[in-house]
Amino acid sequence: MDFRKSDLKTEHKKLEKIREIHIESTYFDLEKTLYCGQAFRWRKAGDVFYAPIDHSVVVARKTAVTSTIQTNKTESYIFEIYGDDFTKEQLITYFDLNRDYASILEEISGIDEHLKAAVLYGKGIRIMRQGLVEMLITFILSSNNNIPKISMTVEALCEKFGDALGVYNGEVLYSFPTIAQLSDASLEDLNVKAIGYRAKSLYATVQLLLNSQLDLNEPFRLSHHTSVEWLKQFHGVGNKVANCILLFAYGDYEAFPVDTWVKRMLNELYGVEKKHEAFVESYFTKFPGIAQQYLFYYIRKG
DNA sequence: TTTCAGGTGGTGC
DNA sequence: GCACCACCTGAA
């Protein structure tokens, strides 16, 4: 019999609370932000959301909602930080809370009626700023795949190659593995749950990062179009995946990922049957990435 | 049992 | 350039 897993669980030191961060913000809805398709590791237990970020465990809950006369909500949240420290400044960067969404959404709403409805429906969504390696690998695993299965594979990868951070809500949480932690893995080793043929892409990507001088910070210095081409040198990264990585890791708001849902939406709402990318580039000229995320949420959930 | 799912890369024209 | 199609796997 194999007791290893439960033994390990009891061995994990109790997560120590480092700090509490209070966030008050308009145009910030945590649940929508976490579950609009950009994040894969956040879990919900009751009214609490939690996830590993770097080597911290972050636990969040909403504490209050106050409305002004103009129906503008201000939401209050408490974030508890366990394990490694994670500062308020880091949290604000992670959820991009310093950006003026009021004016951005107003601009986007002005484009047409569809966007106006999408913005109204998705109000509170923020484009997160997540880790470069985490987004690169996660979106390589996302191709021809669905969210539950992507999460499954990501967690399996973290459990096998990441660091155990501690137990929360009865489960061990693991950090996302670094390239160094994946460096010794053979193709066989990378064959974790539900990964399938994507293991080859992951293996090739890890090897390329190890054996080249490629610096994942490069897209910060390049134009949007050059960044897309730069990211496509990694196996398993095509236009859609490159745009997701640029939007969710690099904060490149020119990125506009076009997947099967967005294609369907472009067809149904705008009559675009092909050359989607050309249409997108000429039509969504104001914060394309944010417009895309609101439209995506609108058609998926609305 | 079959089909489909938040694409990509290889092939053929 | 552009249109096909194989591809791992879990869920319905």
Side-chain angles (χ1 to χ4, degrees):
Chain A
M1 283 206 268
D2 186 6
F3 289 110
R4 271 194 57 206
K5 202 153 185 180
S6 53
D7 286 350
L8 278 174
K9 265 192 191 179
T10 56
E11 274 172 32
H12 290 304
K13 62 171 190 248
K14 197 170 186 301
L15 278 169
E16 194 183 335
K17 193 196 277 191
I18 301 294
R19 68 166 79 225
E20 263 186 25
I21 299 170
H22 295 249
I23 295 281
E24 218 173 72
S25 182
T26 53
Y27 297 94
F28 178 49
D29 183 311
L30 180 66
E31 184 157 15
K32 282 185 191 171
T33 297
L34 296 178
Y35 300 118
C36 66
Q38 59 179 328
F40 296 84
R41 301 202 66 199
W42 281 85
R43 300 289 173 261
K44 189 180 182 188
D47 58 347
V48 166
F49 302 89
Y50 62 97
I53 310 177
D54 298 334
H55 277 70
S56 310
V57 170
V58 178
V59 179
R61 64 176 198 278
K62 191 189 288 190
T63 54
V65 179
T66 52
S67 295
T68 67
I69 328 166
Q70 302 147 331
T71 70
N72 227 347
K73 283 193 301 184
T74 298
E75 307 204 347
S76 304
Y77 295 93
I78 291 183
F79 291 84
E80 297 174 352
I81 310 297
Y82 297 86
D84 276 12
D85 195 12
F86 198 76
T87 65
K88 184 168 188 174
E89 191 179 30
Q90 286 177 290
L91 197 67
I92 285 171
T93 302
Y94 183 78
F95 286 114
D96 197 25
L97 294 174
N98 275 345
R99 195 170 302 277
D100 178 10
Y101 265 66
S103 64
I104 292 173
L105 294 182
E106 196 182 332
E107 272 200 75
I108 291 176
S109 292
I111 296 178
D112 64 34
E113 289 306 307
H114 300 312
L115 278 160
K116 191 172 184 179
V119 163
L120 202 62
Y121 183 74
K123 200 157 105 181
I125 293 174
R126 299 237 168 194
I127 305 290
M128 295 162 67
R129 189 74 74 88
Q130 301 176 77
L132 305 184
V133 168
E134 180 167 342
M135 290 296 97
L136 174 65
I137 290 177
T138 298
F139 281 100
I140 283 174
L141 301 180
S142 78
S143 82
N144 194 18
N145 210 345
N146 52 44
I147 292 172
K149 206 142 62 73
I150 297 165
S151 288
M152 202 185 292
T153 304
V154 165
E155 289 311 319
L157 205 61
C158 293
E159 180 169 352
K160 187 162 184 181
F161 298 100
D163 298 317
L165 302 177
V167 178
Y168 185 82
N169 193 34
E171 61 170 330
V172 186
L173 299 179
Y174 297 87
S175 63
F176 200 93
T178 62
I179 295 301
Q181 285 176 312
L182 294 169
S183 62
D184 290 333
S186 65
L187 180 55
E188 185 84 344
D189 294 332
L190 293 176
N191 191 28
V192 297
K193 190 170 174 56
I195 195 170
Y197 60 86
R198 302 169 196 88
K200 282 184 204 155
S201 301
L202 174 56
Y203 181 78
T205 293
V206 170
Q207 292 307 311
L208 182 58
L209 281 170
L210 288 170
N211 301 324
S212 69
Q213 301 299 320
L214 293 180
D215 173 8
L216 276 181
N217 288 303
E218 194 64 23
F220 284 122
R221 302 184 277 267
L222 301 173
S223 70
H224 167 69
H225 288 287
T226 319
S227 294
V228 170
E229 294 312 311
W230 190 88
L231 283 169
K232 279 163 75 172
Q233 64 194 309
F234 296 102
H235 204 276
V237 179
N239 278 328
K240 189 268 178 183
V241 168
N243 275 275
C244 283
I245 297 167
L246 286 170
L247 185 55
F248 303 133
Y250 294 89
D252 172 7
Y253 298 114
E254 284 185 57
F256 194 109
V258 178
D259 61 30
T260 144
W261 290 91
V262 172
K263 266 185 195 160
R264 201 174 306 167
M265 177 275 293
L266 290 172
N267 189 352
E268 287 173 10
L269 301 186
Y270 298 96
V272 182
E273 293 188 351
K274 44 185 180 177
K275 306 220 176 205
H276 303 92
E277 293 183 352
F279 171 79
V280 160
E281 201 166 319
S282 64
Y283 190 79
F284 301 104
T285 51
K286 297 164 182 169
F287 300 94
I290 297 178
Q292 187 272 2
Q293 201 59 22
Y294 276 78
L295 283 170
F296 183 77
Y297 185 79
Y298 182 55
I299 54 165
R300 286 306 308 272
K301 314 242 173 162

